[in-house]
Amino acid sequence: MAKDGLSPLPPPEEVRVLIIEDNPLIAEMICEIATALGYVVCGTANDIQSAHKKLCSSNCDIVLLDIGLDREQKCPELADLLQELKVPFAFVTGYGHALDVRYEHVPLLRKPFTEEQLCGVLEQLVGDLPGARSTNA
């Protein structure tokens, strides 16, 4: 625990990231960048069904969730599940907005993105982990 009584941010190598992305090239790129930054990629999912399985079976700390994951618009179900599980997540999208007003607090990573932008979103999610020190303090 830090001198000020707040828990410091965990180092990236202790943070497990689940990547939910239907484009295999983008998923691979995110995996490579996250790993290079020191994060542990605990899995990937490319559709709603596999995403549900991964969320229920993996012990992820943070999640990157592609808004355009499916044509049936079931992405809000995953976002609601993540909120219920209190798992910090960010939307990844080629669109300009999140799904609904209730998600306006959720970070948004717009495609195409840079390594620096991805790093910033990951750091923001780590700051949202329960017990983690806010980076805005």
Side-chain angles (χ1 to χ4, degrees):
M1 188 116 17
K3 285 189 258 180
D4 58 8
L6 296 173
S7 298
L9 292 174
E13 66 270 7
E14 294 179 12
V15 178
R16 296 168 306 245
V17 182
L18 175 62
I19 300 163
I20 303 173
E21 169 64 58
D22 64 343
N23 183 314
L25 294 175
I26 294 174
E28 183 179 334
M29 179 183 70
I30 293 172
C31 286
E32 288 175 5
I33 293 171
T35 301
L37 292 170
Y39 293 88
V40 175
V41 176
C42 65
T44 61
N46 62 3
D47 59 39
I48 295 293
Q49 186 176 7
S50 62
H52 270 286
K53 283 182 185 177
K54 294 279 186 178
L55 285 173
C56 294
S57 65
S58 72
N59 195 13
C60 61
D61 297 309
I62 60 178
V63 174
L64 296 173
L65 174 60
D66 178 14
I67 288 178
L69 189 62
D70 72 335
R71 304 250 189 269
E72 298 167 17
Q73 297 299 310
K74 297 207 183 251
C75 190
E77 293 175 17
L78 289 177
D80 291 341
L81 176 61
L82 288 164
Q83 286 182 330
E84 184 180 312
L85 295 171
K86 296 184 178 15
V87 175
F89 68 98
F91 288 120
V92 180
T93 183
Y95 305 106
H97 55 81
L99 296 173
D100 192 280
V101 175
R102 71 182 186 262
Y103 304 118
E104 65 188 1
H105 67 284
V106 176
L108 191 63
L109 180 62
R110 289 188 176 94
K111 300 174 192 173
F113 52 84
T114 65
E115 183 174 329
E116 291 77 22
Q117 289 168 324
L118 175 58
C119 180
V121 167
L122 291 170
E123 287 175 352
Q124 184 176 355
L125 293 176
V126 169
D128 290 341
L129 287 170
R133 171 188 209 138
S134 171
T135 56
N136 298 330

